[in-house]
Amino acid sequence: MVLDCKQLFDIPGERVAIDCLLDLSDYELFSGKPFAEPVQIKGIAENRAGIVSLSMNCSFRLSLLCDRCLDAFERQFSYDFSHVLVQSLHSEDDEYDYIVVEDNMLDLDDLALSDILLALPVKNLCKEDCKGLCPVCGVNRNTETCECLKKQVDPRLEKLGELLK
Ligand SMILES: [Zn+2]
Ligand SMILES: [Zn+2]
């Protein structure tokens, strides 16, 4: 969605409600296309005493593969973002704090996508304590048990065990 910000910039007190869907079903991320459903964007853009701000919530569900055990899982995400919108910058230092809206047209989809990419975790785990795959036989250690790692006793501990006998 492209938001026309002309009135927002011109009229103090002006408010625009945002409620739209962003289709990212073709977007590639984490070596797949995880956005099975559109991202729901809800928010408000308003001019308060001449300062135009945008607050939005992006909620969506991702179909992911666990980085440790490679199992498929889905997770719901919900992020709040806010920005100050300006028509131009006064100094280059401000670049990171403000969103410059060129020609009064703000591409909300682009902004939401870059916000989401910055907010997403770097690692995707099916659960906090995922045990992953056995490096020896490859079973999923969350659902199966194997003896591989038990057999590999640290040789130093083995020595210690002998001494204690
Ligand atoms: Zn896992
Ligand atoms: Zn094993």
Side-chain angles (χ1 to χ4, degrees):
M1 170 186 166
V2 175
L3 186 67
D4 184 344
C5 299
K6 177 140 189 13
Q7 298 217 5
L8 273 170
F9 284 122
D10 287 350
I11 310 168
E14 178 78 1
R15 287 163 68 93
V16 178
I18 294 156
D19 188 349
C20 61
L21 294 173
L22 171 58
D23 179 14
L24 292 173
S25 53
D26 279 331
Y27 190 79
E28 293 190 24
L29 185 69
F30 305 127
S31 52
K33 290 181 179 175
F35 292 91
E37 291 168 5
V39 175
Q40 195 162 53
I41 305 173
K42 283 183 190 222
I44 188 122
E46 61 184 330
N47 180 327
R48 260 184 285 178
I51 310 266
V52 177
S53 64
L54 166 73
S55 314
M56 61 179 169
N57 173 271
C58 296
S59 68
F60 52 95
R61 206 150 49 103
L62 293 188
S63 306
L64 298 165
L65 291 182
C66 176
D67 288 337
R68 251 181 231 163
C69 72
L70 309 177
D71 252 7
F73 66 101
E74 294 198 338
R75 182 158 297 156
Q76 185 72 34
F77 294 87
S78 175
Y79 294 117
D80 291 317
F81 304 112
S82 59
H83 299 284
V84 173
L85 308 181
V86 292
Q87 286 169 302
S88 61
L89 287 175
H90 297 294
S91 81
E92 282 185 31
D93 301 336
D94 292 334
E95 199 173 336
Y96 298 101
D97 299 326
Y98 299 109
I99 300 293
V100 181
V101 184
E102 280 175 32
D103 300 324
N104 292 321
M105 299 304 252
L106 176 67
D107 190 329
L108 210 60
D109 296 352
D110 266 7
L111 182 60
L113 177 59
S114 62
D115 279 347
I116 288 169
L117 294 180
L118 283 173
L120 281 174
V122 224
K123 252 188 187 247
N124 297 304
L125 297 180
C126 62
K127 53 185 178 187
E128 247 339 281
D129 60 344
C130 171
K131 297 192 188 102
L133 301 177
C134 168
V136 182
C137 71
V139 301
N140 184 338
R141 295 172 62 221
N142 298 305
T143 51
E144 287 176 68
T145 45
C146 61
E147 300 298 313
C148 307
L149 293 181
K150 282 179 200 154
K151 281 182 206 153
Q152 293 179 325
V153 181
D154 188 321
R156 284 166 301 178
L157 288 179
E158 208 162 31
K159 266 243 164 70
L160 189 69
E162 276 166 29
L163 288 174
L164 293 173
K165 265 178 199 166

